[in-house]
Amino acid sequence: MEDSFLVITLKWFATAATTVAALIVALDIGRRWTGWGFVIFTIGSVAWVAGAVLAVDWALTTTNAVLFAINIFGVYRYLIRKKHV
């Protein structure tokens, strides 16, 4: 079965978002930037989950549901929690 236009769009958006987020995190240009990288990772995870659910791909759904939780932890760690001195 071929993916719908919506599924293809979600998957490509998720690909772009996670690629940009990985670049931001890999650049290691500060806590705030890394935190925003995790925000973008989280948005990408949501898009991956939506696309995977619509495509009935439960392995991809599960993987990105777990990554969503990890990314939320990254957002908390880098943008919300105070840095230990």
Side-chain angles (χ1 to χ4, degrees):
M1 185 170 127
E2 191 172 317
D3 287 340
S4 69
F5 177 75
L6 176 60
V7 171
I8 292 168
T9 302
L10 282 167
K11 287 180 176 181
W12 279 109
F13 172 79
T15 298
T18 54
T19 301
V20 168
L23 176 62
I24 291 170
V25 171
L27 287 172
D28 192 21
I29 51 180
R31 288 184 65 78
R32 189 167 247 7
W33 279 97
T34 299
W36 282 105
F38 278 108
V39 169
I40 298 168
F41 266 136
T42 302
I43 293 165
S45 292
V46 169
W48 274 121
V49 168
V53 167
L54 292 172
V56 193
D57 185 341
W58 301 118
L60 189 59
T61 301
T62 303
T63 299
N64 279 283
V66 171
L67 289 174
F68 173 82
I70 293 167
N71 294 329
I72 290 296
F73 176 69
V75 170
Y76 167 75
R77 184 167 185 253
Y78 286 94
L79 290 180
I80 298 170
R81 184 180 76 170
K82 300 287 185 199
K83 183 178 177 184
H84 296 292
V85 181

Coordinates of all heavy atoms in Angstrom, one line a residue:
M1 N 0.8 -1.2 0.0 CA 0.0 0.0 0.0 C 0.9 1.2 0.0 O 1.8 1.3 0.8 CB -0.9 0.0 1.2 CG -1.9 1.1 1.3 SD -3.1 0.8 2.6 CE -2.9 2.4 3.4
E2 N 0.5 2.2 -0.8 CA 1.3 3.4 -0.9 C 0.9 4.4 0.1 O -0.3 4.5 0.4 CB 1.1 4.0 -2.3 CG 2.1 5.1 -2.6 CD 2.0 5.5 -4.1 OE1 1.9 4.7 -5.0 OE2 2.0 6.7 -4.3
D3 N 1.8 5.2 0.7 CA 1.5 6.2 1.7 C 0.7 7.3 1.0 O 1.0 7.7 -0.1 CB 2.8 6.7 2.3 CG 3.4 5.8 3.3 OD1 2.8 4.8 3.7 OD2 4.6 5.9 3.6
S4 N -0.2 7.9 1.8 CA -0.9 9.1 1.4 C 0.0 10.3 1.4 O 1.1 10.3 1.9 CB -2.1 9.3 2.3 OG -1.7 9.8 3.6
F5 N -0.5 11.4 0.7 CA 0.2 12.7 0.7 C 0.5 13.2 2.1 O 1.6 13.6 2.4 CB -0.6 13.7 -0.1 CG 0.1 15.1 -0.1 CD1 1.2 15.3 -0.9 CD2 -0.4 16.1 0.7 CE1 1.8 16.5 -0.9 CE2 0.2 17.3 0.7 CZ 1.3 17.5 -0.1
L6 N -0.5 13.0 3.0 CA -0.3 13.5 4.4 C 0.8 12.7 5.1 O 1.7 13.3 5.8 CB -1.6 13.3 5.2 CG -1.6 13.7 6.7 CD1 -1.1 15.1 6.9 CD2 -2.9 13.4 7.3
V7 N 0.8 11.4 4.9 CA 1.9 10.6 5.6 C 3.2 10.9 5.0 O 4.2 11.1 5.8 CB 1.5 9.0 5.4 CG1 2.7 8.2 5.8 CG2 0.3 8.7 6.1
I8 N 3.3 11.0 3.7 CA 4.6 11.4 3.1 C 5.1 12.8 3.6 O 6.3 13.0 3.9 CB 4.5 11.4 1.5 CG1 4.3 10.0 1.0 CG2 5.7 12.1 0.9 CD1 3.9 9.9 -0.4
T9 N 4.2 13.7 3.7 CA 4.5 15.1 4.2 C 5.0 15.0 5.6 O 6.0 15.6 6.0 CB 3.3 16.0 4.0 OG1 2.9 16.1 2.7 CG2 3.6 17.4 4.5
L10 N 4.3 14.3 6.5 CA 4.7 14.1 7.9 C 6.0 13.5 8.0 O 6.9 13.9 8.8 CB 3.6 13.3 8.6 CG 2.4 14.0 9.1 CD1 1.3 12.9 9.5 CD2 2.6 15.0 10.1
K11 N 6.3 12.4 7.2 CA 7.6 11.8 7.3 C 8.7 12.7 6.8 O 9.8 12.7 7.4 CB 7.6 10.5 6.4 CG 6.8 9.4 7.1 CD 6.8 8.1 6.2 CE 6.1 7.0 6.8 NZ 6.1 5.8 6.0
W12 N 8.5 13.4 5.8 CA 9.6 14.3 5.3 C 9.8 15.5 6.3 O 10.9 15.9 6.5 CB 9.3 14.8 3.9 CG 9.8 13.8 2.9 CD1 9.0 13.0 2.1 CD2 11.1 13.4 2.6 NE1 9.7 12.2 1.3 CE2 11.1 12.4 1.6 CE3 12.4 13.8 3.1 CZ2 12.2 11.8 1.1 CZ3 13.5 13.2 2.6 CH2 13.4 12.2 1.6
F13 N 8.7 16.0 6.9 CA 8.8 17.1 7.9 C 9.6 16.5 9.1 O 10.5 17.2 9.6 CB 7.5 17.6 8.3 CG 7.5 18.5 9.5 CD1 7.9 19.8 9.3 CD2 7.3 18.0 10.8 CE1 8.0 20.7 10.4 CE2 7.4 18.9 11.9 CZ 7.8 20.2 11.7
A14 N 9.3 15.3 9.5 CA 10.0 14.7 10.6 C 11.5 14.5 10.3 O 12.3 14.7 11.2 CB 9.3 13.3 11.0
T15 N 11.7 14.0 9.1 CA 13.1 13.9 8.7 C 13.9 15.2 8.8 O 15.0 15.2 9.3 CB 13.2 13.3 7.3 OG1 12.5 12.0 7.2 CG2 14.6 13.2 6.8
A16 N 13.3 16.2 8.2 CA 14.0 17.5 8.3 C 14.2 18.0 9.7 O 15.2 18.5 10.1 CB 13.2 18.6 7.5
A17 N 13.1 17.9 10.5 CA 13.2 18.4 11.9 C 14.3 17.6 12.7 O 15.1 18.2 13.4 CB 11.8 18.2 12.6
T18 N 14.3 16.3 12.6 CA 15.3 15.5 13.4 C 16.7 15.8 12.9 O 17.6 15.7 13.7 CB 14.9 14.0 13.4 OG1 14.8 13.6 12.1 CG2 13.6 13.8 14.2
T19 N 16.8 16.0 11.6 CA 18.2 16.3 11.0 C 18.7 17.7 11.6 O 19.8 17.8 12.0 CB 18.1 16.3 9.5 OG1 17.7 15.0 9.0 CG2 19.5 16.6 8.9
V20 N 17.8 18.7 11.6 CA 18.2 20.0 12.1 C 18.5 19.9 13.6 O 19.5 20.4 14.1 CB 17.1 21.0 11.8 CG1 17.3 22.3 12.6 CG2 17.0 21.3 10.3
A21 N 17.7 19.2 14.3 CA 17.9 19.0 15.8 C 19.2 18.3 16.1 O 19.9 18.7 17.0 CB 16.7 18.2 16.4
A22 N 19.5 17.3 15.3 CA 20.8 16.5 15.5 C 22.0 17.5 15.3 O 22.9 17.4 16.0 CB 20.8 15.3 14.6
L23 N 21.9 18.3 14.2 CA 22.9 19.2 14.0 C 23.1 20.2 15.1 O 24.2 20.5 15.6 CB 22.7 20.0 12.7 CG 23.7 21.1 12.3 CD1 25.1 20.5 12.1 CD2 23.2 21.8 11.1
I24 N 22.0 20.8 15.6 CA 22.1 21.7 16.7 C 22.7 21.1 17.9 O 23.6 21.7 18.6 CB 20.7 22.3 17.0 CG1 20.2 23.2 15.9 CG2 20.7 23.1 18.4 CD1 18.7 23.6 16.0
V25 N 22.3 19.9 18.3 CA 22.8 19.2 19.5 C 24.3 18.9 19.2 O 25.2 19.1 20.1 CB 22.0 17.9 19.8 CG1 22.7 17.1 20.9 CG2 20.6 18.3 20.3
A26 N 24.7 18.4 18.0 CA 26.1 18.0 17.7 C 27.0 19.2 17.7 O 28.2 19.1 18.1 CB 26.1 17.3 16.4
L27 N 26.5 20.4 17.4 CA 27.3 21.6 17.4 C 27.8 22.0 18.8 O 28.8 22.6 19.0 CB 26.6 22.8 16.8 CG 26.4 22.7 15.3 CD1 25.5 23.9 14.8 CD2 27.8 22.8 14.6
D28 N 27.0 21.6 19.8 CA 27.4 21.8 21.2 C 27.8 23.3 21.5 O 28.8 23.6 21.9 CB 28.5 20.9 21.6 CG 28.8 20.9 23.1 OD1 27.8 21.3 23.9 OD2 29.9 20.6 23.6
I29 N 26.8 24.2 21.1 CA 27.1 25.6 21.2 C 26.4 26.3 22.4 O 26.2 27.5 22.5 CB 26.7 26.4 19.9 CG1 25.3 26.0 19.5 CG2 27.7 26.1 18.8 CD1 24.8 26.7 18.2
G30 N 26.1 25.4 23.4 CA 25.5 25.9 24.7 C 24.3 25.2 25.1 O 23.6 24.6 24.3
R31 N 24.0 25.3 26.4 CA 22.8 24.6 27.0 C 21.5 25.1 26.3 O 20.7 24.3 26.0 CB 22.8 24.9 28.5 CG 23.8 24.2 29.3 CD 23.6 24.4 30.8 NE 22.4 23.8 31.3 CZ 22.2 22.5 31.5 NH1 23.2 21.7 31.3 NH2 21.0 22.1 32.0
R32 N 21.4 26.4 26.1 CA 20.1 26.9 25.6 C 19.9 26.3 24.2 O 18.8 25.9 23.8 CB 20.1 28.4 25.6 CG 18.7 28.9 25.2 CD 18.6 30.4 25.5 NE 17.7 30.9 26.5 CZ 17.0 30.4 27.4 NH1 16.9 29.1 27.6 NH2 16.2 31.0 28.2
W33 N 20.9 26.4 23.3 CA 20.8 25.8 22.0 C 20.5 24.3 22.0 O 19.7 23.8 21.2 CB 22.1 26.1 21.2 CG 22.1 27.5 20.6 CD1 22.7 28.6 21.2 CD2 21.5 28.0 19.4 NE1 22.6 29.7 20.4 CE2 21.8 29.3 19.3 CE3 20.7 27.4 18.4 CZ2 21.3 30.1 18.2 CZ3 20.3 28.1 17.4 CH2 20.6 29.5 17.3
T34 N 21.2 23.6 22.9 CA 20.9 22.2 23.0 C 19.5 21.9 23.4 O 18.8 21.0 22.9 CB 21.9 21.5 24.0 OG1 23.3 21.7 23.5 CG2 21.7 20.0 24.2
G35 N 19.0 22.7 24.3 CA 17.6 22.6 24.8 C 16.7 22.8 23.6 O 15.7 22.0 23.5
W36 N 16.9 23.8 22.8 CA 16.1 24.0 21.6 C 16.2 22.9 20.6 O 15.2 22.6 19.9 CB 16.3 25.4 21.0 CG 15.6 26.5 21.9 CD1 16.2 27.3 22.7 CD2 14.2 26.7 22.0 NE1 15.2 28.1 23.4 CE2 14.0 27.7 22.9 CE3 13.1 26.1 21.3 CZ2 12.7 28.2 23.2 CZ3 11.8 26.6 21.7 CH2 11.7 27.6 22.6
G37 N 17.4 22.3 20.5 CA 17.5 21.1 19.7 C 16.6 20.0 20.1 O 16.0 19.4 19.3
F38 N 16.5 19.8 21.5 CA 15.6 18.8 22.0 C 14.1 19.2 21.7 O 13.3 18.3 21.5 CB 15.8 18.6 23.5 CG 17.0 17.6 23.7 CD1 18.2 18.0 24.2 CD2 16.8 16.3 23.4 CE1 19.2 17.2 24.4 CE2 17.9 15.4 23.6 CZ 19.1 15.8 24.1
V39 N 13.8 20.5 21.8 CA 12.4 20.9 21.4 C 12.1 20.5 20.0 O 11.1 19.9 19.7 CB 12.2 22.4 21.6 CG1 10.9 22.9 20.9 CG2 12.3 22.8 23.0
I40 N 13.1 20.7 19.1 CA 12.9 20.3 17.7 C 12.8 18.8 17.5 O 12.0 18.3 16.8 CB 14.0 21.0 16.8 CG1 13.9 22.5 16.8 CG2 13.8 20.5 15.3 CD1 15.1 23.2 16.2
F41 N 13.7 18.1 18.3 CA 13.6 16.6 18.3 C 12.2 16.2 18.7 O 11.6 15.2 18.1 CB 14.6 16.0 19.3 CG 15.9 15.6 18.7 CD1 17.1 15.9 19.3 CD2 16.0 14.9 17.5 CE1 18.3 15.6 18.8 CE2 17.2 14.5 17.0 CZ 18.4 14.9 17.6
T42 N 11.6 16.8 19.7 CA 10.3 16.5 20.2 C 9.2 16.7 19.1 O 8.4 15.8 18.9 CB 10.0 17.3 21.5 OG1 11.0 17.1 22.5 CG2 8.6 16.9 22.0
I43 N 9.3 17.8 18.4 CA 8.4 18.1 17.3 C 8.5 17.0 16.2 O 7.5 16.5 15.7 CB 8.6 19.5 16.8 CG1 8.2 20.5 17.8 CG2 7.8 19.7 15.5 CD1 8.7 21.9 17.5
G44 N 9.8 16.7 15.9 CA 10.0 15.6 15.0 C 9.4 14.3 15.4 O 8.9 13.5 14.6
S45 N 9.6 14.0 16.7 CA 9.0 12.7 17.2 C 7.5 12.7 17.1 O 6.9 11.6 16.7 CB 9.4 12.5 18.7 OG 10.8 12.3 18.8
V46 N 6.9 13.8 17.3 CA 5.4 13.8 17.2 C 5.0 13.6 15.7 O 4.1 12.8 15.4 CB 4.9 15.2 17.7 CG1 3.4 15.4 17.3 CG2 5.0 15.3 19.2
A47 N 5.8 14.2 14.8 CA 5.5 14.0 13.4 C 5.7 12.6 13.0 O 4.9 12.0 12.2 CB 6.3 15.0 12.5
W48 N 6.8 12.0 13.5 CA 7.1 10.6 13.2 C 6.0 9.7 13.7 O 5.5 8.7 13.0 CB 8.4 10.1 13.8 CG 9.6 10.4 12.9 CD1 10.7 11.1 13.2 CD2 9.8 9.9 11.6 NE1 11.6 11.1 12.2 CE2 11.1 10.4 11.1 CE3 9.1 9.1 10.7 CZ2 11.6 10.1 9.9 CZ3 9.6 8.8 9.5 CH2 10.9 9.3 9.1
V49 N 5.5 9.9 14.9 CA 4.5 9.1 15.5 C 3.2 9.2 14.7 O 2.5 8.2 14.4 CB 4.2 9.5 17.0 CG1 2.9 8.8 17.5 CG2 5.4 9.0 17.9
A50 N 2.8 10.5 14.3 CA 1.6 10.7 13.6 C 1.7 10.0 12.2 O 0.8 9.3 11.8 CB 1.4 12.2 13.4
G51 N 2.8 10.1 11.5 CA 3.0 9.5 10.2 C 3.0 8.0 10.3 O 2.4 7.3 9.5
A52 N 3.6 7.5 11.4 CA 3.7 6.0 11.6 C 2.3 5.4 11.9 O 2.0 4.3 11.4 CB 4.7 5.7 12.7
V53 N 1.6 6.1 12.8 CA 0.2 5.6 13.1 C -0.6 5.6 11.8 O -1.3 4.6 11.6 CB -0.4 6.5 14.2 CG1 -1.9 6.2 14.3 CG2 0.3 6.3 15.5
L54 N -0.6 6.7 11.0 CA -1.4 6.7 9.8 C -1.0 5.6 8.8 O -1.8 5.1 8.0 CB -1.3 8.1 9.2 CG -2.0 9.2 9.9 CD1 -1.7 10.6 9.3 CD2 -3.5 9.0 10.0
A55 N 0.3 5.3 8.8 CA 0.9 4.3 7.9 C 0.8 2.9 8.5 O 1.2 1.9 7.9 CB 2.3 4.6 7.6
V56 N 0.2 2.8 9.7 CA 0.1 1.5 10.5 C 1.5 0.8 10.6 O 1.6 -0.4 10.3 CB -1.0 0.6 9.9 CG1 -1.3 -0.6 10.8 CG2 -2.2 1.3 9.5
D57 N 2.5 1.6 11.0 CA 3.8 1.1 11.2 C 4.1 1.1 12.7 O 4.6 2.1 13.3 CB 4.8 1.9 10.4 CG 6.2 1.4 10.5 OD1 6.5 0.6 11.4 OD2 7.0 1.8 9.6
W58 N 3.8 0.0 13.4 CA 3.9 0.0 14.9 C 5.3 0.0 15.4 O 5.5 0.6 16.5 CB 3.0 -1.1 15.4 CG 1.6 -1.0 15.0 CD1 0.9 -1.9 14.2 CD2 0.8 0.1 15.2 NE1 -0.3 -1.4 13.9 CE2 -0.5 -0.1 14.5 CE3 0.9 1.3 15.9 CZ2 -1.5 0.7 14.5 CZ3 -0.2 2.2 15.8 CH2 -1.4 1.9 15.2
A59 N 6.2 -0.5 14.7 CA 7.6 -0.4 15.2 C 8.1 1.0 15.2 O 8.7 1.5 16.1 CB 8.5 -1.3 14.3
L60 N 7.8 1.8 14.1 CA 8.2 3.2 14.0 C 7.5 4.0 15.0 O 8.0 4.9 15.7 CB 8.0 3.7 12.6 CG 8.5 5.1 12.3 CD1 10.0 5.2 12.5 CD2 8.2 5.5 10.9
T61 N 6.2 3.7 15.3 CA 5.4 4.4 16.3 C 6.0 4.2 17.7 O 6.2 5.1 18.4 CB 4.0 3.9 16.3 OG1 3.4 4.1 15.0 CG2 3.1 4.6 17.3
T62 N 6.3 2.9 18.0 CA 6.9 2.6 19.3 C 8.3 3.3 19.5 O 8.5 3.9 20.6 CB 7.1 1.1 19.5 OG1 5.8 0.5 19.3 CG2 7.6 0.7 20.8
T63 N 9.1 3.2 18.5 CA 10.4 3.8 18.6 C 10.3 5.3 18.9 O 11.0 5.9 19.8 CB 11.2 3.6 17.3 OG1 11.4 2.2 17.1 CG2 12.6 4.3 17.4
N64 N 9.5 6.0 18.1 CA 9.4 7.4 18.3 C 8.6 7.9 19.5 O 8.8 9.0 20.0 CB 8.9 8.1 17.0 CG 10.0 8.2 16.0 OD1 10.8 9.1 16.2 ND2 10.1 7.3 15.1
A65 N 7.7 7.0 20.0 CA 7.0 7.3 21.3 C 8.1 7.3 22.4 O 8.1 8.2 23.3 CB 5.9 6.3 21.6
V66 N 9.0 6.3 22.4 CA 10.1 6.3 23.4 C 11.0 7.5 23.2 O 11.4 8.1 24.2 CB 10.9 4.9 23.3 CG1 12.1 5.0 24.1 CG2 10.0 3.8 23.6
L67 N 11.4 7.8 21.9 CA 12.2 9.0 21.7 C 11.6 10.2 22.1 O 12.2 11.2 22.6 CB 12.6 9.0 20.2 CG 13.6 7.9 19.8 CD1 13.8 8.0 18.3 CD2 14.9 8.1 20.5
F68 N 10.2 10.3 22.0 CA 9.5 11.5 22.5 C 9.7 11.7 24.0 O 10.1 12.8 24.4 CB 8.0 11.3 22.2 CG 7.2 12.4 22.8 CD1 7.0 13.6 22.1 CD2 6.5 12.2 24.0 CE1 6.2 14.6 22.7 CE2 5.7 13.2 24.5 CZ 5.6 14.4 23.9
A69 N 9.6 10.6 24.7 CA 9.9 10.7 26.2 C 11.3 11.1 26.5 O 11.5 12.0 27.4 CB 9.5 9.4 26.8
I70 N 12.3 10.6 25.8 CA 13.7 10.9 26.0 C 13.9 12.4 25.6 O 14.6 13.1 26.3 CB 14.6 10.0 25.1 CG1 14.5 8.6 25.7 CG2 16.0 10.6 25.1 CD1 15.2 7.6 24.8
N71 N 13.3 12.9 24.5 CA 13.4 14.3 24.1 C 12.8 15.2 25.1 O 13.3 16.3 25.4 CB 12.8 14.5 22.7 CG 13.6 13.7 21.7 OD1 14.8 13.5 21.8 ND2 12.9 13.3 20.6
I72 N 11.6 14.8 25.7 CA 11.0 15.7 26.8 C 12.0 15.8 27.9 O 12.1 16.9 28.5 CB 9.7 15.1 27.2 CG1 8.6 15.2 26.1 CG2 9.2 15.7 28.5 CD1 8.3 16.7 25.7
F73 N 12.7 14.7 28.3 CA 13.7 14.7 29.3 C 14.8 15.7 29.0 O 15.3 16.5 29.8 CB 14.2 13.3 29.6 CG 15.3 13.4 30.6 CD1 15.1 13.6 32.0 CD2 16.6 13.1 30.3 CE1 16.1 13.7 32.9 CE2 17.7 13.1 31.2 CZ 17.4 13.4 32.5
G74 N 15.2 15.7 27.7 CA 16.2 16.6 27.2 C 15.8 18.1 27.3 O 16.6 18.9 27.7
V75 N 14.5 18.3 27.0 CA 14.0 19.7 27.1 C 14.0 20.1 28.6 O 14.5 21.2 28.9 CB 12.5 19.8 26.6 CG1 11.9 21.1 26.9 CG2 12.5 19.6 25.1
Y76 N 13.6 19.2 29.5 CA 13.6 19.5 30.9 C 15.0 19.8 31.4 O 15.3 20.8 32.0 CB 13.0 18.3 31.7 CG 13.3 18.5 33.2 CD1 12.6 19.4 34.0 CD2 14.3 17.7 33.8 CE1 12.9 19.5 35.3 CE2 14.5 17.8 35.1 CZ 13.8 18.7 35.9 OH 14.1 18.9 37.2
R77 N 16.0 18.9 31.0 CA 17.3 19.0 31.5 C 18.0 20.3 31.0 O 18.8 20.9 31.8 CB 18.1 17.8 31.0 CG 19.5 17.7 31.5 CD 20.1 16.4 31.2 NE 21.4 16.3 31.9 CZ 22.6 16.4 31.2 NH1 22.6 16.4 29.9 NH2 23.7 16.3 31.8
Y78 N 17.8 20.7 29.8 CA 18.6 21.8 29.2 C 17.8 23.1 29.2 O 18.5 24.2 29.2 CB 19.0 21.5 27.8 CG 20.1 20.5 27.7 CD1 19.9 19.1 27.6 CD2 21.4 20.9 27.9 CE1 20.9 18.2 27.6 CE2 22.5 20.0 27.9 CZ 22.2 18.6 27.7 OH 23.2 17.7 27.7
L79 N 16.5 23.1 29.3 CA 15.8 24.4 29.3 C 15.0 24.7 30.6 O 14.8 25.9 30.9 CB 14.8 24.4 28.1 CG 15.3 24.5 26.8 CD1 14.2 24.5 25.7 CD2 16.2 25.7 26.6
I80 N 14.7 23.7 31.4 CA 13.9 24.0 32.6 C 14.6 23.8 33.9 O 14.6 24.7 34.7 CB 12.6 23.0 32.6 CG1 11.8 23.3 31.3 CG2 11.8 23.2 33.9 CD1 10.7 22.2 31.1
R81 N 15.4 22.7 34.0 CA 16.1 22.5 35.3 C 17.3 23.5 35.4 O 17.9 23.8 34.4 CB 16.7 21.1 35.3 CG 17.4 20.7 36.5 CD 17.8 19.3 36.5 NE 19.0 19.2 35.6 CZ 19.8 18.2 35.5 NH1 19.5 17.0 36.1 NH2 20.9 18.2 34.7
K82 N 17.5 23.9 36.6 CA 18.7 24.8 36.8 C 19.9 24.0 36.7 O 20.0 22.8 37.2 CB 18.6 25.4 38.2 CG 17.4 26.3 38.4 CD 17.5 27.6 37.7 CE 16.3 28.4 38.0 NZ 16.1 29.5 37.1
K83 N 21.0 24.5 36.1 CA 22.3 23.9 36.0 C 22.9 23.8 37.4 O 23.0 24.8 38.1 CB 23.2 24.6 35.0 CG 24.5 23.9 34.8 CD 25.3 24.6 33.7 CE 26.6 23.9 33.6 NZ 27.5 24.7 32.7
H84 N 23.5 22.6 37.7 CA 24.2 22.5 39.0 C 25.5 23.2 38.8 O 26.2 23.1 37.9 CB 24.5 21.0 39.3 CG 23.2 20.3 39.5 ND1 22.4 20.5 40.6 CD2 22.6 19.3 38.8 CE1 21.4 19.7 40.6 NE2 21.5 18.9 39.5
V85 N 25.9 24.0 39.9 CA 27.1 24.8 39.8 C 28.2 24.1 40.5 O 28.1 23.4 41.5 CB 26.9 26.2 40.5 CG1 28.1 27.0 40.4 CG2 25.7 26.9 39.8

